[in-house]
Amino acid sequence: MDDNPKELLIRYDSQINDLRKQLTEVNETIARNQGFPPSFSVNRGLKKAKKQQEKLLQRITQKEVARSNYLKLLRSYQEGKIDKAALKKWVNENQRR
């Protein structure tokens, strides 16, 4: 675990922002494809883009939840409700995701 909690928060924010940029690109692709007349390749492209959109939304939600949980644990640690070992354990388990 980093001794500087701000670095972990910055990484979470960076990952969330990267995922949001990807989501914006996918949304633009969907909007562009919806303007075309229906065809097999357009429908296949739309279906693929919508699946990707769902996955990105899911990953963004997971990262936001993890960031929120980390902030709650950090507050608990600062208030003395949990010890540093418990905080380190949570960070080590959740950094892999």
Side-chain angles (χ1 to χ4, degrees):
M1 177 184 120
D2 298 324
D3 289 328
N4 187 356
K6 288 182 182 178
E7 289 181 25
L8 186 57
L9 291 173
I10 289 170
R11 278 195 298 232
Y12 274 128
D13 289 340
S14 174
Q15 290 171 352
I16 291 169
N17 287 336
D18 289 344
L19 290 170
R20 285 191 176 139
K21 286 177 188 175
Q22 291 175 25
L23 181 62
T24 300
E25 292 171 8
V26 170
N27 287 340
E28 288 172 358
T29 301
I30 290 171
R32 190 172 44 247
N33 284 342
Q34 285 178 337
F36 291 117
S39 70
F40 181 73
S41 61
V42 170
N43 289 343
R44 184 174 43 189
L46 272 172
K47 187 175 179 180
K48 182 179 177 184
K50 287 183 179 184
K51 273 188 178 180
Q52 189 177 8
Q53 180 187 42
E54 288 175 24
K55 286 181 182 179
L56 285 169
L57 286 170
Q58 195 175 45
R59 288 179 60 200
I60 289 170
T61 302
Q62 288 173 343
K63 290 291 180 187
E64 288 173 340
V65 167
R67 183 183 187 282
S68 175
N69 287 341
Y70 178 67
L71 284 172
K72 288 177 189 173
L73 281 171
L74 198 56
R75 270 191 225 108
S76 295
Y77 170 69
Q78 290 169 343
E79 293 170 357
K81 294 178 182 174
I82 62 170
D83 62 350
K84 191 168 187 169
L87 183 62
K88 273 187 173 185
K89 181 181 176 189
W90 185 90
V91 169
N92 289 333
E93 287 174 358
N94 289 284
Q95 271 185 329
R96 294 184 199 120
R97 294 179 187 170

